[in-house]
Amino acid sequence: MGASQIIRVELILITILVINILNESILFDLVNKGIINFIILTSIIIIYSMSKLTKDLYLFLPLFFILLFSVFVNANQTEAGGLNTFVLFITSLPFLFIKSRKIDFYYMYRCLFTICLFFLVLIYYYYLFGLQETPEHLSFILSGPYINQNTLAMILFSLISLLMFFYPKINKGLFKSKSFILLIFFLYLSVLLTQSRSAILLSTILLLYCYRKYLIYITPVSVLLLWLMPVSLIDRSFVERASSKISEAGSSGRVDFWYKTFSDLTTNVVSFLFGIGVNNVTIKVDDISFSVHSSYVNFIANYGFLASIFMSFILIYIMYNSYKLSRLLFLIIFSILLYGAFETTLFSGYSILWLSMLFIYYSRTCLRDHDAYFNHSVRTSSH
């Protein structure tokens, strides 16, 4: 009996997502991150053993050796934490070059649906009972059991993306399940309450695409909701801060961070080609360290422009493959990659957004497998 018959790959994928969601929260503050990463790494290796290689593997090998050489060149200035980040990233990358033998979309959807329900209960428990770690003057912003509301926004957007990908293949039509509509509504409402502009923008794009046929009905309802919600339910400072963020010019200092990073890279040819070392880029403002707030700028700084060229080619290639298979798949992949332009969430280990994209792309090979989508079609009518 093979491993695929003993362990369900869907269960491993779901388990990794749950561990990752909890690992980002204050609930796991006392848990050793190394142990968590080891569990995820072991789970990923098991998935690899249950999967099939694709002809695209030849794209991975040049990138792998360039990344390895970049790390070697900067070995003297790369700390242990940077090496760990590199190992986590490089061990997750093969998801783009393998394919699943079979994914039960119904099972994935049911698990995701349950996770989202419990997750919403958890974050609103912290929100409504004043248990959040955010400063008192920002208590109206939803952050749940996370120190930063942007972390929560990223998780919510990841869950919306996963649900959007796995659900439509079960029922033909996104409006056939009232429970799904309600769940998406509360997830999107939660994204709004985090006031994360990246998450709000990209979640809105996904929802508008999926429900574009009903745009004439959704638009007035959404406008009314957005007007009534802050007026009747939320502190006045919520409206003031939201208005400020919407009208705020520039990019919250991100461009200045990026300019500073590129300035460091152009000091010599070696730094330009191979970067300045993994996790060596931090921007200090008033003795407070910030990330560069861009996965792509961070990747260039970590590994240099040479590796970035190969990585860009691979990302374009997977978007092309996604577009050929499904417009929705393409939009989800594109939205996640676009999200990474404004947050340091991709290519940096096992972040929830990065893993969500990998799992979605990994499952793409079942798009043409009718049985993988509809082997539980009788039961879907009840949910």
Side-chain angles (χ1 to χ4, degrees), residues 215-369:
L215 198 57
I216 191 172
Y217 306 109
I218 295 176
T219 303
V221 174
S222 301
V223 172
L224 182 63
L225 174 66
L226 290 173
W227 182 78
L228 289 177
M229 183 180 65
V231 170
S232 59
L233 299 177
I234 302 176
D235 191 277
R236 181 180 174 183
S237 53
F238 179 96
V239 187
E240 295 173 352
R241 188 175 189 273
S243 301
S244 174
K245 287 178 73 69
I246 292 172
S247 60
E248 188 179 65
S251 56
S252 302
R254 285 177 170 84
V255 175
D256 294 333
F257 292 173
W258 302 344
Y259 179 79
K260 172 67 168 59
T261 302
F262 283 124
S263 297
D264 294 340
L265 286 172
T266 54
T267 54
N268 58 72
V269 176
V270 175
S271 297
F272 182 81
L273 291 177
F274 303 107
I276 57 178
V278 182
N279 292 354
N280 281 345
V281 179
T282 53
I283 308 297
K284 285 195 173 183
V285 179
D286 297 330
D287 294 327
I288 301 176
S289 297
F290 294 91
S291 69
V292 294
H293 285 286
S294 172
S295 299
Y296 304 103
V297 175
N298 190 59
F299 185 89
I300 295 171
N302 287 343
Y303 305 108
F305 277 93
L306 190 59
S308 301
I309 292 172
F310 280 85
M311 191 67 203
S312 299
F313 176 77
I314 290 174
L315 294 179
I316 293 171
Y317 181 74
I318 68 171
M319 284 194 290
Y320 171 72
N321 276 345
S322 301
Y323 186 82
K324 288 195 302 182
L325 287 170
S326 163
R327 301 295 184 271
L328 178 60
L329 172 61
F330 167 78
L331 183 62
I332 291 173
I333 296 294
F334 178 76
S335 297
I336 292 175
L337 291 175
L338 186 58
Y339 199 114
F342 307 106
E343 299 292 344
T344 313
T345 57
L346 306 179
F347 325 125
S348 299
Y350 297 149
S351 77
I352 182 68
L353 193 67
W354 173 241
L355 289 179
S356 296
M357 191 196 82
L358 293 178
F359 293 170
I360 289 171
Y361 190 72
Y362 169 74
S363 304
R364 76 196 183 281
T365 52
C366 293
L367 285 170
R368 293 172 181 170
D369 184 353

